Amino acid sequence: MQIQKPVFLLFLVCTVIFTSAQTDSVQKKKNSIITGGTVGISYEHYGLSRTPSGWTGFLPRKPWNQVRFMFSPNIQLGRHISMPVNFNFATTPTNFAGPYAGIDKQSFSQFITNPMNNFALNPKYKWAELLLGTQYLNYSDLSTGDIGVFGAGFDLRPGTYRIKFFTGLSQQSVNFFTGPPATTGAYKRRNWMFSLGKAQDDKYELSLNFVKAKDDSSSANPPPLTIKPQEGFTTSVSAKALFKDGWYAKAEGAQSIYTKDLLLPLDSTKAAFLPFIDGHASTVRDFAGDASVGRKSKNFDIGVKLKYIGAGFQTPGYPFMLPDRFDYTLNTRFNAWKNKDGIYKMNVVASAGQRVNNVSNNTLKAKQFIGNLNWFTQFSDHFSLNINFNNFGFQAPGGINPYGIKNVSNDFGINPSYSWSNEKMAHLLSLSYNYSKYDERDVISGNITSNNTHMALLTYVPTFLTKSLSPDFSLMYFTNKLPSLKFTLVTVSGGISMPAMKKKMNLRTQVQYNYSKTNSYKNNSNIIASFNSDWRITNKLTWTTFISTNRFKYGNEIVPNYASYLESNVRTGFQYRFEK
């Protein structure tokens, strides 16, 4: 695929302007208003060829040409006025509002609210901050803090008072499209959030939080078939207190009123909070809360945490929060086993508790152990060992079906490392082994399927003390077993890096070969090669280049048999760093 001339010429023009402008001083230091940050431009070309000709089993994963701009300085005017800037955007859209969703050109509104772009200004004067553009704001654990919103607001902190407000769009509307490729579609969603509180650093925090989101039911034409326009309103009270000797206490209580389908009629018997949200036939109200208490110190932490999420609780600020559960955990961290110099050789971070799902008794309750362990020990100057364990997942009701959904994963890993050296070389040998047991219960039949995964990774890193070469080698074995499926992957890779041009340039190249096999089919083969260079042209200007190629050849598990594709990426760009 040839590079489009307008895009390529734009990149060349911007590059020339950018590289010539860096030779001139922005301002003399004594008058400088830019105290830090970066500005950059990059161009990426993507290529794809497939065999046999006309085969569409593997689709392009990127646009053929992409230009990205980045401008993120921190502007300081005097002692009290500052304005961090974050402009990061691409000329070609690639997300759900992009060409793969059937939209060739974006409107200005789609462009600035596109999740792959970021336009943000945060001018601040003393205790007053104005929030403009895309912001990721965290008010509390049960109100808002998990989504980006494009809009405007403020954050005021006079003395010990805290007043926060923000409103904007969290998603644009996307019309339903049958394809290809098919697009589910989405409604335009506007968010509002407000917080009023009082806080003093290292002593206490208290806040009353409000968050609302509402879909525009007329924004998509044709509308999504499987998604309904929704509206939600959540209020919460959160508090935190810090005491002497590292003791702390934290709690939050929240109530949500959520309408799952705005197209259903109003219903005066349903929960409402006028004038913020009306009750509809699909509106539900529920509660949530969490609390924790504990003590933190230099070498030892201990704490207890409780969390309850009602079956109907849903907050717009955390759209993927799992409802209908009660968690309680004991959390700890400690250092142990000092060496002769008084340095601790062992660090342990762990938590253990239980999750109770289906608390509302919509179906049978389910109890699940939840735990986490990371245990590191430095046995000697040469040998260390890290052990980790994670248990996570969820169980939830299955609606009218007596069986619930069960997804639970148990992961165990062990990682010994050994190092040795002489006058000319230093060596590091590391082995990682991970075992994962994933159980999933089918909603219809109630049958439980176990998915077992084993992975072993051996890494060897030699370091030449008298040379500038830095090689590394690795070997990985991975296998995944299901009742009717066995997948095996073997990966061998090697890389080498070195400086050049009197250490102003860093070069690295890597080659990787993957062998994979599914059941009794013929194996697939995959070769990946890449090259990186970072050239520090001046103390402030860097030119980076990345080139990669990826050739994948299938066995006979797909039709046509032994099909293959070749991907290529070429990415290059300049980055200029502002300094005081």
Side-chain angles (χ1 to χ4, degrees):
M1 185 66 66
Q2 293 183 347
I3 301 174
Q4 298 174 5
K5 290 183 179 180
V7 175
F8 186 62
L9 289 175
L10 173 63
F11 175 75
L12 288 180
V13 170
C14 292
T15 299
V16 172
I17 295 174
F18 183 76
T19 53
S20 60
Q22 65 86 27
T23 60
D24 298 325
S25 176
V26 177
Q27 277 191 346
K28 294 182 179 180
K29 282 190 175 182
K30 63 180 181 180
N31 297 322
S32 177
I33 62 173
I34 298 181
T35 61
T38 56
V39 59
I41 180 175
S42 66
Y43 167 77
E44 181 175 1
H45 171 67
Y46 175 78
L48 174 65
S49 62
R50 292 165 289 197
T51 302
S53 178
W55 173 55
T56 59
F58 185 85
L59 297 175
R61 295 189 283 188
K62 297 180 180 181
W64 306 115
N65 300 283
Q66 182 67 279
V67 178
R68 299 178 187 273
F69 298 89
M70 183 266 292
F71 182 63
S72 58
N74 183 32
I75 301 174
Q76 186 76 36
L77 298 174
R79 295 177 56 191
H80 302 299
I81 300 177
S82 64
M83 186 174 68
V85 178
N86 187 2
F87 290 172
N88 195 326
F89 60 96
T91 58
T92 303
T94 60
N95 75 317
F96 56 80
Y100 302 112
I103 301 176
D104 294 328
K105 296 181 179 180
Q106 296 181 103
S107 66
F108 179 73
S109 175
Q110 289 173 328
F111 175 70
I112 62 176
T113 60
N114 191 318
M116 74 173 297
N117 298 330
N118 193 89
F119 295 89
L121 293 173
N122 292 57
K124 183 177 182 180
Y125 176 73
K126 291 186 177 180
W127 46 262
E129 182 177 7
L130 186 63
L131 310 175
L132 303 172
T134 303
Q135 306 286 337
Y136 292 82
L137 303 176
N138 187 305
Y139 283 4
S140 69
D141 292 340
L142 296 176
S143 62
T144 187
D146 199 29
I147 57 172
V149 179
F150 182 88
F154 54 79
D155 187 342
L156 308 179
R157 305 191 178 199
T160 59
Y161 293 96
R162 304 289 184 264
I163 306 171
K164 305 176 184 180
F165 172 78
F166 197 81
T167 183
L169 295 177
S170 60
Q171 68 182 29
Q172 282 280 5
S173 61
V174 180
N175 298 336
F176 168 74
F177 185 57
T178 56
T183 303
T184 303
Y187 292 98
K188 179 187 292 185
R189 174 168 294 189
R190 177 169 288 277
N191 292 62
W192 297 263
M193 56 194 78
F194 175 73
S195 178
L196 178 64
K198 190 174 176 63
Q200 188 171 349
D201 292 343
D202 300 325
K203 288 189 176 181
Y204 67 87
E205 296 179 12
L206 177 65
S207 64
L208 179 61
N209 310 298
F210 303 88
V211 56
K212 177 183 176 178
K214 185 175 182 179
D215 292 340
D216 183 351
S217 57
S218 63
S219 59
N221 185 25
L225 296 181
T226 57
I227 299 175
K228 303 300 181 182
Q230 301 179 346
E231 180 181 15
F233 182 77
T234 301
T235 59
S236 84
V237 178
S238 61
K240 180 180 179 180
L242 303 175
F243 307 100
K244 293 182 179 180
D245 300 323
W247 287 95
Y248 67 90
K250 182 180 178 181
E252 182 177 10
Q255 174 189 267
S256 76
I257 300 175
Y258 207 90
T259 299
K260 299 182 180 296
D261 186 356
L262 281 171
L263 299 178
L264 296 179
L266 293 171
D267 189 340
S268 59
T269 65
K270 296 294 184 177
F273 195 86
L274 300 177
F276 303 105
I277 185 170
D278 293 312
H280 287 251
S282 62
T283 301
V284 295
R285 176 172 59 188
D286 215 325
F287 303 89
D290 64 20
S292 58
V293 61
R295 181 177 183 269
K296 292 185 177 182
S297 63
K298 183 178 180 181
N299 294 307
F300 179 74
D301 296 348
I302 188 71
V304 177
K305 185 174 183 179
L306 309 174
K307 175 174 282 189
Y308 167 76
I309 308 295
F313 183 85
Q314 191 168 349
T315 177
Y318 293 95
F320 305 108
M321 181 181 293
L322 177 67
D324 202 12
R325 62 187 170 98
F326 175 59
D327 297 351
Y328 52 93
T329 57
L330 174 67
N331 309 292
T332 186
R333 178 195 66 87
F334 61 87
N335 298 323
W337 191 14
K338 291 183 179 180
N339 62 14
K340 61 181 180 180
D341 297 322
I343 300 175
Y344 286 100
K345 302 172 66 174
M346 182 184 296
N347 175 263
V348 179
V349 178
S351 66
Q354 190 172 61
R355 169 170 294 172
V356 181
N357 295 89
N358 312 329
V359 182
S360 61
N361 286 316
N362 290 335
T363 180
L364 295 177
K365 289 185 178 180
K367 294 183 178 180
Q368 172 196 340
F369 169 78
I370 52 177
N372 174 276
L373 171 68
N374 190 286
W375 185 347
F376 174 80
T377 306
Q378 185 75 44
F379 288 95
S380 68
D381 294 339
H382 303 288
F383 181 67
S384 64
L385 179 66
N386 192 80
I387 299 174
N388 62 80
F389 170 80
N390 290 281
N391 171 271
F392 58 90
F394 68 89
Q395 300 183 57
I400 61 175
N401 192 282
Y403 305 107
I405 300 173
K406 177 182 179 181
N407 295 282
V408 180
S409 178
N410 295 274
D411 294 330
F412 171 78
I414 183 169
N415 173 215
S417 296
Y418 186 78
S419 62
W420 71 99
S421 62
N422 52 40
E423 294 180 354
K424 294 183 178 181
M425 290 188 66
H427 308 265
L428 174 63
L429 189 64
S430 177
L431 174 65
S432 296
Y433 170 76
N434 286 86
Y435 170 72
S436 176
K437 185 176 185 297
Y438 177 74
D439 294 333
E440 182 173 10
R441 180 167 59 202
D442 183 79
V443 178
I444 304 301
S445 66
N447 296 330
I448 295 179
T449 301
S450 291
N451 188 334
N452 299 319
T453 299
H454 300 265
M455 188 192 74
L457 174 64
L458 179 65
T459 303
Y460 171 59
V461 181
T463 302
F464 295 93
L465 303 179
T466 58
K467 299 179 181 180
S468 299
L469 298 177
S470 298
D472 60 82
F473 308 93
S474 66
L475 173 64
M476 185 188 75
Y477 174 80
F478 174 91
T479 181
N480 180 222
K481 293 182 179 180
L482 286 166
S484 59
L485 175 70
K486 180 180 179 181
F487 176 78
T488 303
L489 172 67
V490 177
T491 298
V492 181
S493 66
I496 186 168
S497 55
M498 60 178 292
M501 298 183 63
K502 298 181 179 180
K503 298 185 177 180
K504 290 185 177 182
M505 178 182 288
N506 291 318
L507 305 176
R508 175 171 174 79
T509 184
Q510 186 169 17
V511 178
Q512 177 177 301
Y513 173 76
N514 301 311
Y515 168 97
S516 59
K517 185 176 177 62
T518 302
N519 291 345
S520 59
Y521 292 106
K522 295 291 185 179
N523 68 280
N524 307 318
S525 62
N526 180 211
I527 299 178
I528 303 173
S530 64
F531 170 78
N532 295 74
S533 72
D534 295 308
W535 181 13
R536 193 175 71 254
I537 300 174
T538 69
N539 289 334
K540 298 180 180 180
L541 181 65
T542 303
W543 180 15
T544 62
T545 300
F546 172 77
I547 302 172
S548 71
T549 181
N550 175 19
R551 184 185 184 277
F552 193 101
K553 183 177 181 181
Y554 291 92
N556 60 351
E557 62 187 85
I558 68 167
V559 178
N561 293 167
Y562 310 108
S564 65
Y565 64 84
L566 177 65
E567 281 186 303
S568 61
N569 278 276
V570 179
R571 184 171 64 245
T572 185
F574 295 92
Q575 181 172 293
Y576 181 83
R577 186 179 70 255
F578 297 111
E579 293 181 351
K580 291 184 179 181

